[in-house]
Amino acid sequence: MNAVTASLQDDLVSVSTALCLCLCAAGLFVNAQKQQALQLGQKILAWVANHPEATAGQVARAVGRSTPTAQVGLDRLTKEGFLSRRELHGGVRRYSLPA
C-alpha cells in the first residue's frame, strides 16, 4: 500500500466516523425533543385535571410555556382523546378531562 492509498483510507475512516457521530447526535436530539413533548403533555394533563375548564393561556402560565406552545400540546392531547375541548363565544376554548 502506498502513501496515497493509506491517506485516502484514513480520510474515509475519518469521514465515516464523523458521519456516525452526526447521526448519533441527531438521534439524541430527536429523542430529547420527544421526551420534552411527553413531559409537557404530562404537566398539561396534571394541571387540567385539577383545573377543569382551563384556557390555553391559563395552562401556558401554569406549565411555564408560551401560549402557542401550550396550545400545540393541548391540541395534541385533545386529538389523542386525553382532553376534551369546549368552544365558547368569541372563540375561547376551555379544556377538561373527558367525562
Side-chain angles (χ1 to χ4, degrees), residues 81-97:
F82 293 108
L83 292 176
S84 62
R85 179 174 72 198
R86 189 167 70 95
E87 293 202 31
L88 303 177
H89 57 86
V92 175
R93 297 178 207 155
R94 300 261 177 193
Y95 297 87
S96 298
L97 295 181

Side-chain angles (χ1 to χ4, degrees), residues 10-91:
D10 286 344
D11 288 347
L12 289 175
V13 169
S14 296
V15 167
S16 77
T17 300
L19 181 59
C20 183
L21 290 173
C22 287
L23 290 173
C24 288
L28 291 173
F29 179 72
V30 169
N31 284 338
Q33 283 184 315
K34 286 180 182 178
Q35 187 170 354
Q36 286 177 350
L38 287 172
Q39 289 172 345
L40 177 61
Q42 290 170 343
K43 288 179 183 179
I44 290 171
L45 281 173
W47 200 82
V48 171
N50 290 307
H51 301 87
E53 296 293 309
T55 65
Q58 291 169 333
V59 171
R61 284 188 294 281
V63 299
R65 298 294 177 97
S66 68
T67 300
T69 299
Q71 187 66 61
V72 168
L74 288 163
D75 289 344
R76 182 178 53 81
L77 291 167
T78 301
K79 181 179 178 184
E80 293 173 358
F82 293 108
L83 292 176
S84 62
R85 179 174 72 198
R86 189 167 70 95
E87 293 202 31
L88 303 177
H89 57 86

